[in-house]
Amino acid sequence: MVRALAPGGVILLEAYATNQLKLGTGGPREPERLCSLEDLTEDFAGLETMICHELERDVQEGKYHRGTSAVLQFMGRKP
């Protein structure tokens, strides 16, 4: 994704965090399909990080993704 991004382009990402397994309100059940802040900073190392944090928020995205969820939010800009 970083290589495909034009200079000045921005990536916005929200993904379930590893702590989501404890909450059980949706998302992948396999730990290897969840993200950590370290994963994001490593995967997007070539970008200027504008936002990179983990939080719990209410997710209402259909029948299988409902309730308090642990998510990571990332926003980065290619120099």
Side-chain angles (χ1 to χ4, degrees):
M1 287 173 44
V2 173
R3 284 190 310 233
L5 198 61
V10 174
I11 290 176
L12 297 170
L13 173 81
E14 181 173 80
Y16 281 112
T18 52
N19 287 333
Q20 177 60 18
L21 289 175
K22 298 174 192 170
L23 299 174
T25 54
R29 292 186 176 103
E30 302 82 15
E32 63 274 6
R33 293 182 59 207
L34 299 167
C35 292
S36 69
L37 288 175
E38 293 78 24
D39 293 333
L40 290 181
T41 55
E42 185 177 303
D43 291 345
F44 298 113
L47 302 180
E48 169 197 347
T49 299
M50 302 165 76
I51 297 171
C52 186
H53 56 238
E54 182 173 346
L55 64 134
E56 289 186 2
R57 72 172 190 87
D58 185 50
V59 172
Q60 300 297 327
E61 296 176 349
K63 184 175 170 182
Y64 299 108
H65 297 94
R66 298 178 68 85
T68 301
S69 300
V71 298
L72 301 172
Q73 295 177 340
F74 177 85
M75 183 170 144
R77 179 182 304 134
K78 189 169 187 177

